[in-house]
Amino acid sequence: MSKSIKELSLHYDPINESNTFTSGDIVEGRIVLEVTKKIKVDSFFVKLTGDAHVSWTKGSGDNKRTYSDDERYVNLKQYFIQDSSKKGESEKNTTLVDGETYGSVIRPGSHVFPFRFQLPQQNMPPSFKGFHGWVKYILMVKLSRPWKSPSSTYTELNFVLRNDGTNDHLLQPQSGTQDKKMKFFGSGKMEMTVTAEKTGYMQGETIRVFVDIDNSSSRDVKLKYSLKQQQTFIAGRSTNRSNKDIVKETRDRIPSGEKSKFIVDVTLPRDLTVTIENCRILKVQYELKVYLDVSFASDPEVKFPVVILPPDQPCPPWQGPPGGSQPYPPPQPNLVPYPGELPPPPAGLYPNLYDPTVPPYPGAAAGVYPNPHAIPLGFHLAPSAPVSDPNQSTTKESSPNVPY
């Protein structure tokens, strides 16, 4: 960042305790820009993008080949300052959002630029980071000046799927039976029936499975089960699949000639990635396998698909710490103070941004920032919002994956 720009930071307002967003939610916040001297700006904007990306490499040397693909879901942009020669021009695959605009000259001091976006009401995949790809929703601000390198910063939003509780087909039970006749190293046969209560489970929920085993063989067997995640990445006609064990357990031994009944409980991690089926270039799917471990023979097994869903109820509103000692969360860190809280400006610096009696105000000087009436007073977080986590809502300086 140049010496004349002391701070360029990006802050958004969390809307729930989990600091997540979903389709149709409002994303609003502010850009804080502090400059040490007057600067001329060509363009200054904030944008919200949502993208999926996959990439992997096969082979080596002359046979090395890279496969990749991308998919974009949202591209919203709000200008604060725009090159006058480009005003009114459409931008490819970009939705321009109306907002307050300012003159191209910014005076010394700290300035706040509010922004507001609404996520589309469409079926977009959730935020995800996998073996060979990701889905990201990014807020990024960029300031361009004549004969200077652009200044930019960004932060990621955690986008989740909306679970409206209407997936009735995922509530149907699943059942399967598998038997095996012993031909080598034993005689007789074994039979296993497995029943799962349903197909869809929310993060943190427990999968309950009922297992009936009739071991009429001459061999002892062990009951085993696993929950496996499969990540699939697609680039053109090429596919790359990676598997990950979420749970893998061994249960009781079933002696020869005995019948046994088991209840198997698999508790899902609360941060487990949800099933992703609504992305063209990547998928996340789950499979539950219950099987009998038979030494020196193939294992009889029953497999079920499992769909991992986000919670179907939003988190309760933020109520503040116990005892009610603080009815509202404090403002986000590093923000410009609120009206009436600013100290008197040092002599010679730009007048108090929030004092509408101090020029320049609208009409005082065309083309000179700022418009004091454009800064809304409601910058405190809403009473239902949690205390913001600086690690989540503050900015990062650069990212090779963020498109400018």
Side-chain angles (χ1 to χ4, degrees):
M1 195 172 295
S2 68
K3 294 181 180 180
S4 57
I5 299 179
K6 186 176 180 180
E7 179 185 0
L8 177 62
S9 58
L10 170 61
H11 307 263
Y12 67 85
D13 298 334
I15 61 173
N16 52 44
E17 287 184 333
S18 58
N19 196 18
T20 58
F21 295 87
T22 190
S23 300
D25 281 347
I26 301 296
V27 181
E28 57 186 347
R30 63 213 59 85
I31 311 300
V32 178
L33 174 63
E34 183 176 357
V35 296
T36 58
K37 63 180 182 180
K38 182 174 70 174
I39 63 172
K40 176 74 165 57
V41 176
D42 283 341
S43 71
F44 184 28
F45 63 82
V46 59
K47 71 176 181 177
L48 171 58
T49 57
D51 299 274
H53 170 79
V54 298
S55 178
W56 69 91
T57 301
K58 289 184 178 180
S60 60
D62 293 339
N63 295 322
K64 186 176 181 179
R65 185 173 180 182
T66 298
Y67 302 86
S68 65
D69 203 351
D70 297 274
E71 188 170 50
R72 168 153 284 184
Y73 308 104
V74 57
N75 189 11
L76 306 173
K77 181 184 287 189
Q78 178 181 329
Y79 275 99
F80 303 118
I81 300 172
Q82 188 176 14
D83 189 332
S84 58
S85 64
K86 297 182 179 180
K87 287 184 178 179
E89 292 185 4
S90 61
E91 300 184 30
K92 185 178 181 180
N93 300 323
T94 302
T95 300
L96 296 182
V97 177
D98 291 335
E100 188 70 29
T101 56
Y102 306 85
S104 61
V105 175
I106 298 182
R107 300 286 185 176
S110 291
H111 312 290
V112 176
F113 299 81
F115 65 85
R116 186 178 190 272
F117 296 114
Q118 182 171 17
L119 289 163
Q121 288 277 15
Q122 62 189 52
N123 186 22
M124 302 185 295
S127 299
F128 169 72
K129 184 177 182 181
F131 292 109
H132 304 291
W134 46 256
V135 179
K136 293 181 180 180
Y137 293 83
I138 293 176
L139 276 171
M140 192 268 288
V141 59
K142 182 178 179 181
L143 185 149
S144 299
R145 295 182 292 157
W147 311 107
K148 301 285 185 181
S149 298
S151 299
S152 63
T153 190
Y154 81 100
T155 188
E156 290 188 32
L157 301 179
N158 187 11
F159 182 85
V160 298
L161 293 175
R162 184 186 298 277
N163 181 6
D164 56 10
T166 60
N167 300 309
D168 293 338
H169 65 286
L170 299 180
L171 300 178
Q172 301 301 315
Q174 303 183 81
S175 186
T177 299
Q178 186 67 261
D179 58 47
K180 179 180 177 62
K181 292 183 178 180
M182 300 301 299
K183 297 180 179 180
F184 304 100
F185 306 105
S187 60
K189 76 171 187 176
M190 58 191 70
E191 183 176 84
M192 176 178 64
T193 299
V194 183
T195 302
E197 293 180 314
K198 55 184 178 178
T199 303
Y201 299 85
M202 291 183 291
Q203 296 164 311
E205 196 174 354
T206 296
I207 300 175
R208 172 155 286 188
V209 179
F210 302 91
V211 185
D212 289 353
I213 300 172
D214 181 358
N215 185 11
S216 298
S217 75
S218 59
R219 301 280 300 277
D220 292 352
V221 296
K222 288 183 179 179
L223 174 63
K224 294 186 175 182
Y225 59 91
S226 65
L227 178 66
K228 181 176 293 185
Q229 179 196 79
Q230 182 179 82
Q231 300 179 14
T232 304
F233 305 93
I234 305 163
R237 297 183 178 180
S238 298
T239 301
N240 190 326
R241 291 184 173 88
S242 299
N243 294 319
K244 177 182 178 182
D245 285 325
I246 307 302
V247 174
K248 193 172 185 179
E249 298 286 347
T250 299
R251 286 287 298 268
D252 307 57
R253 183 175 65 89
I254 301 96
S256 169
E258 288 195 5
K259 295 181 180 181
S260 300
K261 295 179 181 290
F262 298 93
I263 295 178
V264 173
D265 286 336
V266 180
T267 300
L268 301 172
R270 293 188 177 276
D271 60 350
L272 185 62
T273 300
V274 299
T275 297
I276 301 178
E277 294 276 10
N278 58 340
C279 179
R280 178 180 59 85
I281 60 176
L282 65 84
K283 312 287 181 186
V284 177
Q285 297 161 314
Y286 292 89
E287 179 184 80
L288 177 67
K289 181 172 77 170
V290 180
Y291 58 106
L292 298 177
D293 185 7
V294 185
S295 301
F296 308 109
S298 59
D299 298 333
E301 59 186 32
V302 175
K303 296 180 180 180
F304 294 139
V306 172
V307 177
I308 307 300
L309 304 166
D312 60 356
Q313 296 294 332
C315 294
W318 188 88
Q319 299 295 336
S325 58
Q326 185 180 336
Y328 296 95
Q332 292 185 334
N334 302 322
L335 296 185
V336 174
Y338 302 109
E341 299 177 4
L342 281 173
L349 291 184
Y350 189 64
N352 189 331
L353 175 64
Y354 295 102
D355 187 350
T357 66
V358 179
Y361 43 80
V368 178
Y369 176 86
N371 175 352
H373 297 291
I375 307 301
L377 301 182
F379 278 171
H380 288 83
L381 298 178
S384 62
V387 178
S388 61
D389 182 351
N391 293 326
Q392 295 174 316
S393 60
T394 53
T395 56
K396 304 174 185 178
E397 287 301 323
S398 62
S399 170
N401 295 321
V402 179
Y404 288 167

